[in-house]
Every structure is written in structure tokens, then in C-alpha cells.
Amino acid sequence: MERTVHYNIEGAEFDVPIYYDELVRQEIERLPDFLEHPIHTPSGERVMLTIEDACENGIPIDGEARCIDCGSCRYYRQTPGTLLGVCSHEAMRKRADIQEMKD
Amino acid sequence: MKYLTVRETAEKWNLSVRMVQQFCTQGRIPGAQKFGRSWAIPADAGKPQDPRLSRKQEELPTARLLDQTNLMPLMNTPFQPGQCLAAAQAMEEGPQRDIAMAEFHYFSGQPEAAAREAEPYLTSADMGAKLSACLIYAYANLSVGEIRRAKFALGELNAALAAAGEQSPQFRAASAFVAAAGAVLLHLPLPEGLSDAKDFLPLLPTGLRAFALYVQAHYLYLTGSYGPSAGTVEATLAMGAVRYPIPAIYLHLVAVMDYMSLKQTDQAKAHLLAAWDLARPDDLIEGFGEHHGLLGGMLESVIKPDWPEDFKRIIDITYRFSAGWRRVHNPQTGHDVADALTTTQFAVCMLAARGWNNQNIAQHLHISTNTVKSHIFQAMRILQVGTRKDLKRYMLR
């Protein structure tokens, strides 16, 4: 049976498979591509990797000269103890949510 | 092999038990082994020199015994690429050729042979041969995991430096040269009593001066002075160092480090290929493995695609050398340099720490953006850091 790590990112629950890499002799998480296959929280906010390259909407948090990744953006909330978090920018919300808001 | 106790050794050398214990703890007796709370000392081990006494021994003829022709002779020899072994074998029989062969084996990634060839000269009265042997023996033993032996040789280098104060200027220059090389390349604090480079550089022969300037450039790199470091390299090469392949390879490598830090990848690539052109015909690949972590993924980007077998051997050298390097570096500096990262994770994280985004790293290393993210994610979990800012602090301290 495949081993997995269970994540709960502000209510978005999903499992990430783990495999043992013989070459590097480490257990590696096979992370989903959060850009290709978005995962959203129940409130419609998008789950992101802290180290994802910054997008055009990014604004650096205080003390940062520039926004290089999600972790350095003021719209990002990192979930403690993980390298995952949630983007609160409106443009990244789930489309259905945006549609509902427009309606 | 026959072993003596600390007390027996103290009687044999006419020293106090405490002094012999200190020598053991400091790793200054090759082959001494700790069993529980006591030490077993090889019966044929030589008595280490006490640096505190050396200044009182002016009358000893050590200065006269410094033969600069035996000070890293291969490093100080100009030869055509492909002629390195022939140049070593053509040297005068005796210490000069023996040290040159130890150099050849060390720089071509054969540390066992290098350590074996250097060992007989660790206590030589010929200070040129002795200093060379200590330097080669220290680095070769890092790679073979004999840390106590490496520390012994580094201790002897520092002892020679401490003893050099009242000796001839040439002796002081030679001692400063090897002591600086021993410390800077291990990223250790500079030894006490080390002269300014400008004081000893003019006293060194051309090839050794070029290597000393590589050490100086490496030191500038470690202080974050990438521009001055690159300038030192370019000037040294322009003044003829390129004729001396061993120092030239190391100079080119530190230029790669500088230009990658300055995000000038074209210059970095040009220097890496120049180093490779000099090194490959003689298989002088040790320096590439030693510097891997600081080369900003250039080996993965340039060497791996075209010379995959050589790349694998370089990575083997990296793992072997860096394991020993950390065992000396981490306890002495108190910095816990990452030892659980793979070479690829390390290279990717160094670039990320220097402000490269995932897409740029992926293009540079010819891998996918997802693979880059996976390497950084895994490395950050291992290092227990939560943000890129923390990663930078960890990688570049």
C-alpha cells in the first residue's frame, strides 16, 4: 500500500504520496503541481507552495525588497509546520466562487 | 603495529604525561587511538614539535634546510596540458619527485596514494618537503576519512607557522603560504601570527604565488567581496599564471564562484570551461569536486551533459571530500553546515539562496521547474527552515 502524508491546509484536505528514492537515500514527497492542478480551501482560496515563484499579483511583505516566491508575498498565509499555505488574492480564488460573487 | 601507553611515550620523549595527552587530543600524533579514557600511541610515532619552544631554537638550522624547490614542486611547474605526470616523473629523484607524485595523485583524485607518498616527509628536516607533505597529507586524509591524521597535519602547519617568526623571510613566506592554504580552503579562521599576503607573496616563486593568490581570492569570496575576488583572479591569470596548470585550474574555479554570485553566468561558464580544458587531459579533477557546492550548479549545467562519466567521478569526490571537510570545519567554527543534502539539493539551494527563481534554476540546470521545487522543498524540510529567507541565512552564513 502506498504511503502518504495527509495535509489539512485551512480545510483543504489531501494526501501526498511518499516514495523512497534509492539514489538520494531519502523519503521524498511526490508533490502535486499546484499550478496545473489547483486545490482550494472550502472558502475558495488557493493552496500554494511557499517556494512557488511569485506571480504578477505579488506584493512583498514588510522587510522584503521584492517578491520572489509565495513565502515573500503579503497575500500568502503559510500553514504552520508545513511548506504549504493559502493565497488570499482575489485573482487566485476558485472561479466558481468568483462567479458566485459576481452573481 | 606495536603501541605504547601515554606514560611510556612520555618517558621515551622526556615529556610530561599531560603534554603527551594534549598532543593526542590535538591530533598531533599520527595513528594515536583512544580506547575508553586512555590512548594507544604507535611505538614508531615521531615526537611532535612544541611551538612554544621553537623561538628559543634559533640556533637550529631549519632556515638553512628550507629548499624551495621541494615546496609543492608540481604546483610550481609550468607544463602543457597532458604532460602533468611526465613533468612530475622528470623531477630530480628524492623529495622533489616524491612530493610531486603526491601532488599529482592528490590533484587527480587519488587521495590514498597521495597520503601514502606524503607521509614519509611529515617529519622531514627539509622544511620545503615537510610543509608540502603536511598540506597534501591533511587534505588527502580528509577525503579518506582519516580526520585525526588530517588534524595532525594541520596542527603541524600551524606549529611551523608559529615557529617561523624568527626564521628567514623565505621560511616565513613558505609557512604563511601553506598555513593560509590549509585554513582558508577549509573555511577556518586564519591562524594566529599569519602575515599579510603582501608581505609573503613577493617571496614565493611564480607558481606558488599564483596559488597563494587563489587562496587570497577564495578568502575574498568568503567575505562576500566577489568583485575584488574576480579581479584578483583575472589579474593573476593575465600575469602568466595560466602557464601553471594547477594554480590556474583553482583560479578559474574561484572565478566561477564569483561570477555565479554576481549572476554573470556567461563569464562563469567561460572560466569553468577554461579550467576543464586545463584539467581534463591530466584528469586533474580533484578541485572540481572540492568546490562543487560553491560553483552554483555549473558542473550540472556544463559538465554533466557532455562528460557524464567525469561528472559522476567529480560528485564522488565531492561526497568524500565534503564529509571529511565538515568533520573538521563544523566543530572548529560551530557552524552546522548541511551534511544531509545531496549535491543536487545543495546546488539548487545555493542558487535559490542567491535569489534565483525556480524557473531560472530549472533553465540553468536543464531540469523541470517541478524538479527544482521538489529539491528545494525536500532540502527545506531536512534543514527545518520554513522560508526562502531562512534558507538564505542557512546556506550563505
Side-chain angles (χ1 to χ4, degrees):
Chain A
M1 191 177 156
E2 190 175 51
R3 292 182 58 214
T4 59
V5 178
H6 184 74
Y7 282 103
N8 182 341
I9 307 297
E10 300 193 15
E13 296 199 41
F14 53 93
D15 291 317
V16 172
I18 302 174
Y19 68 98
Y20 184 78
D21 189 319
E22 291 287 349
L23 194 65
V24 301
R25 296 177 189 173
Q26 290 168 1
E27 286 195 323
I28 309 274
E29 289 181 36
R30 200 187 304 274
L31 290 165
D33 185 337
F34 292 102
L35 299 181
E36 289 281 316
H37 308 288
I39 295 175
H40 295 86
T41 65
S43 64
E45 289 178 324
R46 192 158 164 184
V47 175
M48 299 294 285
L49 258 179
T50 305
I51 55 169
E52 200 71 68
D53 281 346
C55 67
E56 68 272 19
N57 302 313
I59 298 177
I61 53 175
D62 292 342
E64 291 287 341
R66 67 188 178 114
C67 202
I68 188 167
D69 61 3
C70 289
S72 58
C73 176
R74 68 173 57 174
Y75 291 110
Y76 183 73
R77 289 191 308 274
Q78 189 165 351
T79 301
T82 76
L83 290 170
L84 299 172
V86 164
C87 175
S88 64
H89 196 282
E90 281 304 317
M92 301 294 276
R93 268 186 178 275
K94 197 172 183 178
R95 285 182 184 279
D97 261 33
I98 295 170
Q99 196 57 48
E100 280 170 22
M101 284 165 67
K102 282 180 183 169
D103 294 341
Chain B
M1 182 185 284
K2 191 175 177 227
Y3 287 91
L4 302 177
T5 64
V6 169
R7 185 167 298 282
E8 287 167 338
T9 307
E11 283 170 12
K12 180 179 155 193
W13 289 345
N14 197 24
L15 293 174
S16 68
V17 167
R18 184 174 161 72
M19 178 65 83
V20 175
Q21 280 171 332
Q22 276 181 355
F23 282 152
C24 291
T25 310
Q26 291 164 358
R28 297 190 60 202
I29 304 175
Q33 293 180 44
K34 194 168 190 185
F35 293 99
R37 293 174 60 187
S38 59
W39 289 87
I41 299 167
D44 58 355
K47 178 181 173 182
Q49 190 182 7
D50 183 347
R52 294 173 307 173
L53 301 177
S54 56
R55 291 191 180 184
K56 297 175 188 168
Q57 293 176 335
E58 264 180 276
E59 66 277 12
L60 290 179
T62 47
R64 278 178 285 145
L65 291 172
L66 174 67
D67 185 349
Q68 277 206 342
T69 58
N70 295 336
L71 187 60
M72 302 300 281
L74 193 57
M75 185 184 278
N76 193 37
T77 296
F79 57 84
Q80 288 296 317
Q83 297 298 312
C84 184
L85 182 57
Q89 287 171 336
M91 289 189 187
E92 188 183 323
E93 194 177 344
Q96 190 183 31
R97 190 190 298 170
D98 293 345
I99 295 293
M101 288 304 295
E103 287 178 90
F104 172 72
H105 284 129
Y106 178 74
F107 291 118
S108 60
Q110 302 174 67
E112 293 88 353
R116 201 167 48 242
E117 286 157 344
E119 195 167 47
Y121 293 97
L122 292 175
T123 52
S124 172
D126 174 337
M127 292 306 286
K130 175 180 172 165
L131 292 171
S132 307
C134 286
L135 189 60
I136 298 165
Y137 193 75
Y139 275 83
N141 275 303
L142 284 184
S143 291
V144 297
E146 293 284 354
I147 304 307
R148 190 170 294 284
R149 292 180 181 196
K151 284 183 175 175
F152 160 77
L154 289 170
E156 287 297 294
L157 289 181
N158 289 338
L161 181 70
E166 306 299 327
Q167 302 285 357
S168 72
Q170 284 76 16
F171 184 94
R172 289 204 300 272
S175 303
F177 164 63
V178 289
V184 171
L185 309 185
L186 286 170
H187 303 187
L188 298 176
L190 293 176
E192 274 181 42
L194 186 67
S195 324
D196 274 355
K198 64 178 167 44
D199 294 335
F200 66 81
L201 279 173
L203 298 169
L204 294 172
T206 312
L208 301 189
R209 194 183 310 151
F211 197 83
L213 282 162
Y214 149 72
V215 173
Q216 183 76 4
H218 197 122
Y219 181 74
L220 287 168
Y221 168 86
L222 293 176
T223 61
S225 306
Y226 308 126
S229 174
T232 302
V233 170
E234 302 286 10
T236 308
L237 289 168
M239 289 171 72
V242 75
R243 291 173 49 239
Y244 295 81
I246 292 173
I249 290 166
Y250 279 75
L251 283 160
H252 282 301
L253 289 174
V254 85
V256 177
M257 290 151 49
D258 292 324
Y259 286 121
M260 286 307 289
S261 302
L262 296 165
K263 287 195 176 176
Q264 296 177 23
T265 47
D266 288 347
Q267 285 95 325
K269 184 176 177 181
H271 276 284
L272 186 75
L273 288 172
W276 192 237
D277 284 346
L278 288 170
R280 193 157 183 263
D282 294 299
D283 205 27
L284 300 175
I285 60 170
E286 177 71 25
F288 294 81
E290 290 172 9
H291 291 78
H292 170 274
L294 306 177
L295 295 174
M298 262 294 163
L299 296 177
E300 284 78 0
S301 174
V302 177
I303 304 296
K304 188 178 180 184
D306 289 340
W307 297 278
E309 289 306 313
D310 290 327
F311 177 78
K312 277 186 203 162
R313 289 171 54 232
I314 290 171
I315 294 302
D316 285 344
I317 288 172
T318 302
Y319 278 117
R320 206 168 52 175
F321 179 81
S322 56
W325 181 89
R326 282 189 298 267
R327 286 173 65 188
V328 173
H329 174 271
N330 289 2
Q332 284 210 32
T333 63
H335 292 163
D336 181 21
V337 173
D339 60 358
L341 300 188
T342 66
T343 52
T344 310
Q345 287 167 347
F346 196 95
V348 168
C349 285
M350 281 297 276
L351 291 168
R354 293 208 179 276
W356 291 48
N357 68 21
N358 302 330
Q359 204 177 351
N360 291 342
I361 297 171
Q363 283 167 356
H364 177 56
L365 299 179
H366 313 301
I367 55 180
S368 75
T369 312
N370 262 346
T371 305
V372 171
K373 286 188 275 188
S374 175
H375 284 311
I376 299 176
F377 183 89
Q378 186 70 9
M380 286 172 73
R381 273 193 32 185
I382 291 168
L383 301 177
Q384 298 182 320
V385 295
T387 66
R388 202 177 283 238
K389 197 174 179 179
D390 293 337
L391 180 67
K392 179 179 178 178
R393 206 174 291 137
Y394 194 99
M395 298 299 291
L396 301 183
R397 65 184 171 186

